[in-house]
Amino acid sequence: MSTGVRRRMGVEERRQQLIGVALELFSRRSPDEVSIDEIASAAGISRPLVYHYFPGKLSLYEAALKRASEDLASRFAEPHEGPLGARLLRVMCRFFDFVDEHGPGFSALMRGGPAVGSSTTNALVDSVRQAAYVQMLSHLGVTEAPPRLELVVRSWISLAESTALIWLDGRRIPRAELELQLVHDFAALAAVSAAYDTDMAELLRTMVKDEPADGPFAELAGRLMSLAS
């Protein structure tokens, strides 16, 4: 039989609860629109108690952003098994899962929000981009990227970000189409670079040599050939 007595949370447990509550609210609405009072109410505590654990909304937003950035960075991790095109498609699916789940917060971070421009925010965003960059090089079997490959990979990561932001503004293009398109975009960027650089040409051959006839890269080649016919 329950006595109705609630267990008192420890300091770190309460902090983690507040971060989770804030992240949930920031995921549904722009952080600028979420008040400390709302966070306190959702957590079942008083406003002064929120300030006991965090100096203000900015510090709580940065803590929530840190958790979200770690989650987003993990979406780029993928076992090195099977054709590259299929691996990238799974990564893009998980990336858009995150964007879908945290739309307003993702948009606020990239377009402007309460912590944008701070050293903490910039470092967190850069850490996600760097994690994605390292993962891509790993899938390509490269430890240190030559200049053209670095340009291709970093340009593609920026393209994925901007594509997600545009998609959030009305979701006018089916998400699955954009996930596949971004995989095709990577192959296209690599192909254009390969036309100018022998090392990139060799890498491109490695990328496509094990691609199945029904894989994303093969589908792109088929679409391009149909346009030329």
Side-chain angles (χ1 to χ4, degrees):
M1 180 177 177
S2 173
T3 62
V5 177
R6 291 192 296 178
R7 180 178 62 84
R8 183 184 180 90
M9 288 188 182
V11 173
E12 185 57 28
E13 186 179 8
R14 177 65 79 182
R15 279 179 55 85
Q16 293 305 316
Q17 183 220 14
L18 285 170
I19 291 170
V21 167
L23 183 57
E24 176 65 22
L25 291 171
F26 294 152
S27 296
R28 295 200 300 263
R29 304 200 332 266
S30 169
D32 285 323
E33 301 173 358
V34 178
S35 69
I36 287 292
D37 287 331
E38 287 181 87
I39 295 170
S41 176
I45 62 176
S46 66
R47 175 188 176 96
L49 194 54
V50 175
Y51 286 110
H52 175 73
Y53 294 100
F54 293 94
K57 191 172 80 169
L58 177 59
S59 63
L60 181 51
Y61 177 70
E62 289 179 343
L65 179 59
K66 183 176 187 298
R67 181 183 292 184
S69 68
E70 291 169 350
D71 181 7
L72 180 54
S74 73
R75 307 288 175 116
F76 288 90
E78 172 70 23
H80 293 194
E81 300 171 358
L84 178 62
R87 282 182 260 159
L88 292 186
L89 189 56
R90 289 192 291 271
V91 167
M92 285 296 95
C93 181
R94 288 196 299 272
F95 173 72
F96 271 88
D97 280 345
F98 180 92
V99 173
D100 208 0
E101 294 162 9
H102 302 280
F106 179 86
S107 182
L109 172 62
M110 298 302 173
R111 287 178 171 154
V116 170
S118 75
S119 58
T120 299
T121 303
N122 291 339
L124 289 171
V125 174
D126 286 345
S127 72
V128 174
R129 290 171 177 155
Q130 185 62 20
Y133 176 72
V134 170
Q135 283 292 333
M136 286 299 297
L137 293 189
S138 178
H139 283 291
L140 294 170
V142 176
T143 54
E144 187 171 343
R148 287 189 187 275
L149 178 58
E150 180 175 3
L151 179 61
V152 165
V153 175
R154 294 198 186 279
S155 296
W156 180 73
I157 292 169
S158 296
L159 179 61
E161 288 178 11
S162 59
T163 298
L165 287 172
I166 294 170
W167 177 75
L168 282 170
D169 188 15
R171 308 183 186 217
R172 292 164 291 178
I173 300 175
R175 173 185 145 176
E177 289 184 14
L178 289 182
E179 292 168 2
L180 179 60
Q181 181 179 313
L182 281 165
V183 176
H184 290 171
D185 286 335
F186 181 78
L189 286 169
V192 170
S193 185
Y196 292 87
D197 184 85
T198 56
D199 289 337
M200 283 299 300
E202 180 59 33
L203 180 62
L204 183 64
R205 284 190 285 270
T206 301
M207 282 173 50
V208 302
K209 71 175 182 178
D210 294 324
E211 281 292 309
D214 60 349
F217 292 164
E219 180 181 347
L220 173 61
R223 287 174 180 266
L224 293 176
M225 289 176 64
S226 68
L227 289 175
S229 61

